[in-house]
């Protein structure tokens, strides 16, 4: 499964800057399930639980590009969650608002330091050592969302209560049109 996905990812990157891309219909639940199946083993080994609240909406968009963005956000959350000593969560929620789908991904890793929050989507910006990060993941994610999927991506910190305990974490909000054609 991983080898096939990587092969498709290589093809996607090869085609990344080609102007002709064909949108196809798919369900958001399918894209999220594919994403989770690709990261699930790593998340299980790190005791990270993923909770889904998915409105199963149909999109006419670029599914592989969306999956790349979701994997990147989830992997960044994983890298921060392994640093905490309490229960580790990621919440994924989808909902329709007008002719858009909103995808919210929230973790409980403590949030992003406020001084770096404005720089999070800049190219080559990373808080990881040179051996663990290039600083292009979130930059590429924003490029994919805004230029290829015709949407927007935002990041903030949020405090919330889950099972009677208050947590703080990063929140990524992706707004995509249901149809990019």
């Amino acid at each position: 499964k991983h080898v096939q996905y990587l092969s498709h990812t290589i093809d996607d990157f090869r085609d990344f800057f080609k102007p002709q891309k064909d949108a196809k219909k798919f369900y958001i639940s399918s894209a999220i399930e594919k994403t989770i199946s690709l990261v699930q083993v790593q998340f299980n080994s790190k005791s990270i639980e993923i909770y889904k609240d998915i409105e199963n909406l149909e999109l006419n968009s670029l599914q592989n590009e969306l999956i790349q963005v979701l994997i990147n956000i989830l992997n960044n959350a994983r890298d921060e969650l392994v640093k905490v000593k309490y229960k580790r969560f990621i919440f994924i929620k989808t909902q329709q608002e007008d002719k858009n789908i909103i995808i919210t991904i929230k973790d409980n890793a403590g949030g992003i330091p406020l001084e770096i929050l404005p720089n999070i989507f800049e190219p080559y910006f990373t808080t990881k050592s040179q051996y663990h990060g290039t600083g292009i993941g979130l930059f590429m994610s924003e490029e994919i969302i805004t230029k290829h999927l015709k949407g927007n991506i935002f990041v903030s910190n949020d405090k919330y209560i889950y099972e009677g305990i208050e947590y703080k974490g990063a929140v990524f909000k992706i707004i995509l049109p249901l149809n990019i054609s």
Side-chain angles (χ1 to χ4, degrees):
K1 212 186 261 188
H2 288 289
V3 171
Q4 286 177 336
Y5 178 75
L6 289 173
S7 176
H8 290 298
T9 301
I10 291 167
D11 292 340
D12 291 341
F13 277 114
R14 188 178 314 135
D15 296 335
F16 188 73
F17 290 106
K18 287 185 182 173
Q20 192 67 22
K21 293 200 179 209
D22 296 325
K24 292 189 174 131
K25 289 185 177 185
F26 65 92
Y27 286 95
I28 190 64
S29 60
S30 173
I32 290 172
E33 288 305 322
K34 286 179 184 178
T35 303
I36 291 171
S37 74
L38 291 165
V39 299
Q40 191 69 56
V41 171
Q42 294 174 29
F43 281 60
N44 287 345
S45 71
K46 308 284 188 214
S47 301
I48 299 170
E49 298 177 50
I50 298 175
Y51 296 97
K52 300 172 289 190
D53 180 7
I54 308 299
E55 260 186 55
N56 196 23
L57 304 167
E58 187 177 56
L59 287 93
N60 186 40
S61 192
L62 305 170
Q63 182 175 3
N64 285 341
E65 279 85 344
L66 178 58
I67 289 172
Q68 289 171 14
V69 170
L70 296 175
I71 286 174
N72 188 53
I73 292 170
L74 290 175
N75 283 339
N76 282 346
R78 179 204 60 216
D79 292 346
E80 293 304 311
L81 283 166
V82 297
K83 299 175 185 176
V84 302
K85 303 294 181 203
Y86 42 82
K87 284 180 130 181
R88 301 166 179 156
F89 307 118
I90 294 177
F91 298 91
I92 303 173
K93 180 178 180 173
T94 65
Q95 63 192 56
Q96 183 174 349
E97 191 172 284
D98 298 322
K99 293 183 179 183
N100 295 310
I101 183 170
I102 299 174
I103 304 166
T104 307
I105 302 170
K106 175 168 56 175
D107 64 45
N108 69 327
I112 299 167
L114 294 178
E115 63 272 10
I116 68 170
L117 202 56
N119 309 104
I120 211 81
F121 295 116
E122 290 179 8
Y124 308 112
F125 180 81
T126 183
T127 58
K128 300 172 187 172
S129 74
Q130 66 180 2
Y131 304 109
H132 294 100
T134 60
I136 61 168
L138 288 175
F139 169 73
M140 289 278 289
S141 294
E142 183 185 45
E143 291 285 300
I144 290 169
I145 293 293
T146 58
K147 293 183 178 169
H148 296 257
L149 304 180
K150 301 178 183 172
N152 285 300
I153 183 169
F154 305 95
V155 64
S156 62
N157 291 321
D158 191 23
K159 288 183 183 176
Y160 59 94
I161 296 177
Y162 180 69
E163 294 183 336
I165 300 171
E166 184 176 278
Y167 294 101
K168 183 179 180 184
V171 180
F172 284 84
K173 183 177 180 180
I174 300 168
I175 302 171
L176 299 175
L178 291 171
N179 187 351
I180 65 170
S181 296

